[in-house]
Amino acid sequence: MIVYKNDKEILAIRNSNQIVAKILSDLSEMVRPGIQTRELDEYAHSKTKEMGAIPAFKGYRSFPASLCTSINEEIVHGIPSARSLQEGAIISLDFGVIYDGYYGDAAVTLPVGKVSSTASKLIAAARQSFFEGLEQLKVGNRISDVSYAIQQYVESQGFSVIKTFVGHGIGMSLHEEPQIPNFGSPGHGPKIKPGMVLAIEPMIAVGDWNVEILADKWTAITQDKSLSAHYEHTVAVTEDSVEILSLLDTNSDSTYVKESKHA
Ligand code: MG
């Protein structure tokens, strides 16, 4: 069942996503050669608490951390540790919080120092494929129109889309219907309607899309060990537009927490 949100609920989900956006922005500035992924996790955890929110991933199906840190061939769900980032690596940061009962979820892939041109191109393609998908997120289209646009773009860049993991509806639960695959033919799936709030999250790889899960039961890697990138935003569909709720609004940076309490 798809849960359609009213304006007040969308505002609440926006507030939650602005916390995610702020913390991801801070973390992006911390990413550099030598930093341990657990330092990033510790920052995410303490800043979330400071902002009056709850880390959404910690304890979710027993996930042990607040932040997912996925390096190089790791696609998603990498567990922060004492491992430190090496110059030339790429790292995906996937982060979520709960604020006033609503979830926020977003992810970004970043270069660590200077990276190869393939790595740069992969990061850019993951990001751009999200926006290609977003173009198709409009009332009257269907969910797989978004999926198709993402896959077409990624493959046009010479990369592949990961098929094992999908985007999702989001609201009072982290994962709601509908599922949003990053591949498929257009014209299928639920009709896109106002009130849908969705986390769209292309995951892509330089090589093949086959996935392997490591012994920690979480970390997903490409079977061929090729580099992988992830990009995600939570977006809301309204009557005449879409809004990226997890894009950091620098103007309201200091006021969104207060607004939410009065919403
Ligand atoms: Mg997600």
Side-chain angles (χ1 to χ4, degrees), residues 97-240:
V97 306
I98 311 165
Y99 183 74
D100 271 357
Y102 288 91
Y103 281 81
D105 189 6
V108 65
T109 301
L110 301 160
V112 181
K114 189 166 165 43
V115 302
S116 69
S117 61
T118 301
S120 296
K121 196 179 163 209
L122 183 77
I123 290 172
R127 180 181 185 278
Q128 186 58 32
S129 72
F130 165 84
F131 286 98
E132 298 290 328
L134 193 67
E135 283 271 294
Q136 298 306 316
L137 188 72
K138 48 192 170 197
V139 175
N141 273 6
R142 289 181 183 268
I143 288 294
S144 87
D145 295 324
V146 174
S147 311
Y148 177 72
I150 291 170
Q151 182 178 22
Q152 288 298 110
Y153 180 77
V154 171
E155 293 180 354
S156 80
Q157 299 303 297
F159 300 128
S160 61
V161 291
I162 303 295
K163 299 180 176 175
T164 314
F165 304 101
V166 297
H168 50 93
I170 182 168
M172 296 197 84
S173 301
L174 179 58
H175 296 123
E176 298 183 356
E177 288 182 34
Q179 293 195 344
I180 309 156
N182 296 305
F183 66 96
S185 53
H188 300 284
K191 280 188 174 159
I192 294 162
K193 293 181 184 168
M196 276 183 164
V197 180
L198 308 169
I200 298 174
E201 50 179 322
M203 286 150 259
I204 75 172
V206 170
D208 193 79
W209 62 269
N210 282 313
V211 170
E212 194 175 305
I213 308 293
L214 296 185
D216 64 20
K217 295 194 169 67
W218 278 105
T219 312
I221 64 166
T222 53
Q223 220 167 52
D224 63 9
K225 305 283 199 322
S226 69
L227 289 178
S228 176
H230 181 200
Y231 190 83
E232 175 182 26
H233 277 300
T234 297
V235 304
V237 181
T238 60
E239 291 290 347
D240 47 14

